[in-house]
Amino acid sequence: MTHPSIYELAQSQTTISSEYARDPTEEPGKIAKRLYEHITQSPDQPSSVQGNFGATTPSPLFRSIYESILRNLAASGDALAGMVSPPLIATSGVVPLTIIAPLPDIVKHMSNCIVRAQKEVFLATNFWINSDTSRLVTDAFRELNRRVGERGGGEKVVVKMLYDRGNVKQAITHHQHVPPATYTGPKVNLPAPEEIPNIEMQVVNYHVPLVGTFHSKFMVVDREVALLMSNNIQDNDNLEMCVRLEGPVVDSLYDVCLASWSTTLEPPLPCRDTPASGKPLPSYADPEFLALFTEDSTTESVSLPSVVQAGHESLDLPEHLPGDPHYDATIAGEIRRIQASYAPKPGETHLQAVSRHFNVTPAQKADGGVQPTAPEPPSDSLVPFAEMTPYIPLPPSAFPGPQIPTPIPMLIASRAPLGTPTFSVPHAVRYPQNVAFLEAVRGAKERIFIQTPNLNAEPLLPELVGAVRRGVEVEVWVCLGYNDAGELLPYQNGTNEMIANRLYNDPGLLQPTSNDEDDDADADATHPQIDSAESLPLTEEEKSRLKIYNYVAKDQDRPIHNKFKKRSCHIKLLIIDSHLAMQGNGNQDTQTWFHSQEINILLDSPEVCRTWMEGIRRNQNTEVYGKVSMVDGCWHDPVTGEMVEGAIGVDPGRFSWARGVVGAVQRVRGAGGF
């Protein structure tokens, strides 16, 4: 029997989601096995591979990444290594809203999307912990139940929830259906079926033992809107990032939902045969959303005065809070309400307002709460460039094309989980996520920007140093001390301070990595393109192009170590040459690169990249106060030269493995960063 090649599959009209629409009684996992268990394991590539990128032509680098993803899928023999049907890897879409904010602010938008649902909600997260944050979601389910009841007609909204809470039964069956008696218990605390009679809720607990974590965080509502975020559902001190996606990319993420769920869907998803492709883009069909923008809103910053001013004029709006929800009918209403919560109250400075809003957990509120240490911005700079703007709308003109808005090229650049605790580089770099990371960095000509909680993925490190040596400016923002204990486990490769020191000073990173176990591997995926003769340390001039920063919160003038849980950052973002960006769940750490399931999008748009960089720089003080020393890779007080309290430095000591064991336990319990 002749099996199809990955290139034939990528051009096919048949996907997991199309087959599920044809027969919703068949488990998506069985569909996936039937369609993709056997493919021709051949790296031979046709002269041109057409991706369904819509009406906008992608850049050469973007297209080369797509071709490399397909080439590596072919070589691996695993068509679903990217957790999406091959025809839906290449897609297009728009990003009407970006959120760069503390975790609860993202969940507030999630809750508003939930209460507006008409037919279905699919919510996936890594950690779900009973908390104030989770109450924002459970309050929304109760409100949705009320609205569905008022609509009448007897039709229920279907809700599917997928999370990872390790269970010994997963050694046999990775996907465990969670009964109401468990999910209504104190650890999860979802509403009982009798509390929400107008909602059909089904919950699955998904983990691939031993270390194949379901690290994904996304939500799809009515197959019209998708949210892709960095945050879990729990209380913590993290700054996070979420993007709202509309257009054909929603169909790709719907397919991800099915591939991730794998098991029986009962009741079936009602939107299975109503794809997003061809439908109007919901946000840009909303007159109130369009009214946010002036006629000359050609960049993100042009729309900010109206956003900030609306917040200052809406101080009487009550904040949307757990236990005291205040939902909005439109995104514009949400923006107005959230911006009002950051506007100074009478007698309050701008940064005092930011600190008040950031201080939500017991650790942040302790001893009178974390106080601002950064200088107040000049009053004339608050509109629009200095005031924190957590919800950032993008105008239709950000998506130029034959029609405005026109969906921009996107890729689903993700990876499937791997439970076996192995660390094979030739195997790891085959996953679409890692192919995209590597090829984007290798293709950079001018500038690489990375923000990630942790940076210690060994295959990436020589690529960053190699980019610096060939003249590219590399800027890396990490969070000081983020999950240091876990990163000190054997094979996790070390803390951010240790890695920063290596990037500046380790000549071994300028040597090509060896892939002895896979000599026939595709060279562009597994071998850094670094001249083996260039093994000298970076020169001072080269070091000046490598800029590493520790996260500094909007109200602070220095990093705060993650161990104190006061101000941390969990954003995952890569931007290349101001036009290519990758956002989603994937960190630049060993766990993400080698084991966890991660979902990310790669997009090709100077307008979106500009908006994201403006928002990243405006909503934190990292660029101003967070730069580390090129001598040792650590942050030092500019006056005293001291490192911040809690910093380990470049030498964690002889018993660092013991700290790693503690970190691993914290991850399993949901207490550590992930």
Side-chain angles (χ1 to χ4, degrees):
M1 180 179 178
T2 302
H3 300 298
S5 71
I6 193 68
Y7 307 106
E8 292 170 323
L9 292 173
Q11 303 298 316
S12 171
Q13 298 299 309
T14 302
T15 62
I16 295 172
S17 42
S18 70
E19 289 294 280
Y20 174 71
R22 188 179 61 82
D23 180 7
T25 66
E26 188 175 9
E27 295 179 8
K30 292 181 178 178
I31 296 173
K33 186 175 182 179
R34 173 165 56 82
L35 294 179
Y36 304 126
E37 183 177 24
H38 301 290
I39 68 171
T40 300
Q41 194 169 352
S42 169
D44 294 337
Q45 180 177 330
S47 57
S48 65
V49 182
Q50 299 301 316
N52 189 16
F53 297 117
T56 304
T57 302
S59 65
L61 177 57
F62 186 89
R63 181 170 288 281
S64 73
I65 292 173
Y66 174 55
E67 292 173 352
S68 187
I69 286 173
L70 294 183
R71 191 160 56 248
N72 280 278
L73 287 175
S76 73
D78 184 359
L80 277 182
M83 293 306 298
V84 67
S85 298
L88 295 172
I89 296 172
T91 184
S92 62
V94 297
V95 191
L97 180 69
T98 297
I99 304 175
I100 300 171
L103 186 155
D105 291 344
I106 292 175
V107 182
K108 288 172 184 179
H109 180 57
M110 294 173 65
S111 69
N112 272 286
C113 292
I114 288 169
V115 301
R116 296 178 199 142
Q118 298 297 307
K119 293 184 178 296
E120 67 178 47
V121 177
F122 193 108
L123 171 57
T125 187
N126 171 220
F127 284 145
W128 173 286
I129 297 177
N130 184 18
S131 55
D132 283 344
T133 299
S134 71
R135 187 167 182 184
L136 287 166
V137 179
T138 56
D139 285 348
F141 286 146
R142 292 183 173 93
E143 173 65 12
L144 174 61
N145 174 73
R146 186 191 66 79
R147 294 185 183 191
V148 175
E150 286 187 351
R151 292 201 292 258
E155 185 178 356
K156 298 183 178 184
V157 170
V158 173
V159 173
K160 308 293 183 186
M161 282 194 54
L162 189 62
Y163 58 59
D164 184 338
R165 296 181 66 87
N167 187 302
V168 293
K169 295 179 180 178
Q170 287 164 330
I172 300 172
T173 304
H174 303 330
H175 296 80
Q176 292 288 323
H177 288 269
V178 183
T182 299
Y183 71 63
T184 59
K187 293 184 178 180
V188 179
N189 200 26
L190 288 169
E194 57 269 22
E195 292 184 76
I196 49 171
N198 301 305
I199 293 177
E200 293 272 12
M201 181 176 288
Q202 188 179 15
V203 181
V204 164
N205 180 5
Y206 174 35
H207 183 87
V208 181
L210 294 167
V211 290
T213 300
F214 179 71
H215 191 237
S216 306
K217 312 103 167 25
F218 56 88
M219 186 170 79
V220 178
V221 179
D222 291 337
R223 203 171 176 176
E224 293 184 352
V225 171
L227 305 183
L228 184 60
M229 64 282 281
S230 62
N231 60 284
N232 299 304
I233 308 298
Q234 62 181 130
D235 290 345
N236 62 32
D237 62 314
N238 288 344
L239 190 79
E240 305 274 7
M241 183 172 179
C242 170
V243 297
R244 179 183 173 108
L245 300 165
E246 298 173 6
V249 66
V250 177
D251 291 331
S252 295
L253 290 170
Y254 199 78
D255 200 80
V256 170
C257 292
L258 294 171
S260 301
W261 186 271
S262 185
T263 187
T264 306
L265 291 134
E266 182 54 46
L269 291 170
C271 296
R272 60 188 178 272
D273 53 3
T274 56
S277 300
K279 290 182 183 178
L281 302 169
S283 295
Y284 295 114
D286 176 7
E288 192 172 342
F289 184 76
L290 295 176
L292 291 169
F293 312 104
T294 60
E295 290 184 3
D296 63 344
S297 290
T298 54
T299 68
E300 172 264 346
S301 57
V302 174
S303 67
L304 286 183
S306 64
V307 168
V308 172
Q309 191 63 33
H312 282 255
E313 294 173 354
S314 305
L315 295 181
D316 57 335
L317 277 178
E319 191 171 353
H320 177 37
L321 296 169
D324 185 22
H326 296 275
Y327 302 105
D328 291 289
T330 65
I331 295 176
E334 291 182 60
I335 293 172
R336 189 178 305 112
R337 188 180 302 275
I338 200 74
Q339 199 64 45
S341 71
Y342 282 90
K345 305 293 190 276
E348 198 175 45
T349 68
H350 169 60
L351 289 184
Q352 286 172 340
V354 172
S355 296
R356 164 179 50 79
H357 193 87
F358 275 34
N359 291 339
V360 295
T361 69
Q364 292 173 308
K365 293 178 180 178
D367 302 320
V370 180
Q371 298 300 311
T373 60
E376 289 287 336
S379 58
D380 60 355
S381 71
L382 287 183
V383 181
F385 298 109
E387 181 155 329
M388 183 155 179
T389 51
Y391 286 16
I392 306 169
L394 278 82
S397 56
F399 306 98
Q403 296 178 329
I404 295 178
T406 296
I408 57 175
M410 295 183 178
L411 292 172
I412 305 298
S414 305
R415 63 152 295 152
L418 177 67
T420 308
T422 61
F423 298 88
S424 166
V425 171
H427 178 78
V429 297
R430 296 292 186 200
Y431 289 99
Q433 168 193 266
N434 299 342
V435 171
F437 283 149
L438 291 172
E439 291 300 303
V441 168
R442 289 172 186 159
K445 291 181 170 58
E446 298 175 358
R447 191 165 182 277
I448 297 166
F449 174 85
I450 294 172
Q451 182 154 33
T452 176
N454 297 105
L455 173 69
N456 60 20
E458 190 65 26
L460 182 64
L461 303 182
E463 301 291 352
L464 296 177
V465 177
V468 169
R469 178 140 287 180
R470 68 174 187 266
V472 176
E473 181 178 303
V474 176
E475 189 171 345
V476 179
W477 294 11
V478 294
C479 184
L480 177 63
Y482 203 91
N483 193 42
D484 270 359
E487 303 308 327
L488 290 171
L489 277 169
Y491 302 107
Q492 295 305 303
N493 216 29
T495 67
N496 288 326
E497 292 163 294
M498 296 163 66
I499 297 302
N501 181 272
R502 285 185 62 199
L503 288 171
Y504 281 122
N505 299 307
D506 182 1
L509 290 179
L510 291 166
Q511 297 283 1
T513 59
S514 173
N515 295 286
D516 295 336
E517 59 187 279
D518 192 2
D519 292 336
D520 295 327
D522 178 39
D524 68 356
T526 58
H527 296 277
Q529 296 174 351
I530 301 170
D531 186 343
S532 59
E534 296 182 337
S535 58
L536 296 175
L538 292 176
T539 66
E540 291 303 306
E541 188 272 333
E542 288 170 334
K543 285 185 178 182
S544 70
R545 291 198 294 272
L546 176 59
K547 302 174 182 179
I548 303 175
Y549 297 78
N550 289 163
Y551 167 69
V552 179
K554 179 69 173 177
D555 60 340
Q556 301 298 303
D557 66 353
R558 63 193 54 230
I560 298 178
H561 195 282
N562 174 253
K563 69 181 288 184
F564 299 109
K565 307 301 179 188
K566 305 282 191 180
R567 296 285 188 270
S568 301
C569 188
H570 197 233
I571 288 171
K572 306 97 164 26
L573 180 64
L574 168 72
I575 296 179
I576 302 292
D577 291 345
S578 302
H579 74 90
L580 202 78
M582 190 163 165
Q583 180 272 341
N585 313 151
N587 303 320
Q588 300 294 352
D589 64 10
T590 300
Q591 177 67 25
T592 283
W593 273 66
F594 287 87
H595 293 111
S596 293
Q597 175 173 321
E598 314 283 4
I599 306 301
N600 311 283
I601 56 162
L602 181 76
L603 59 77
D604 197 1
S605 167
E607 291 82 4
V608 173
C609 290
R610 182 189 312 118
T611 297
W612 287 359
M613 281 308 309
E614 288 179 358
I616 286 287
R617 296 190 189 284
R618 183 175 56 253
N619 287 357
Q620 40 187 306
N621 281 343
T622 303
E623 183 181 35
V624 181
Y625 301 114
K627 194 172 184 183
V628 308
S629 165
M630 293 189 299
V631 176
D632 63 1
C634 298
W635 188 91
H636 296 267
D637 185 287
V639 176
T640 68
E642 298 293 321
M643 295 191 291
V644 300
E645 184 181 0
I648 293 177
V650 299
D651 182 6
R654 292 176 57 191
F655 297 103
S656 61
W657 60 268
R659 299 184 193 180
V661 171
V662 173
V665 172
Q666 288 181 327
R667 282 188 175 188
V668 172
R669 294 175 55 222
F674 212 34

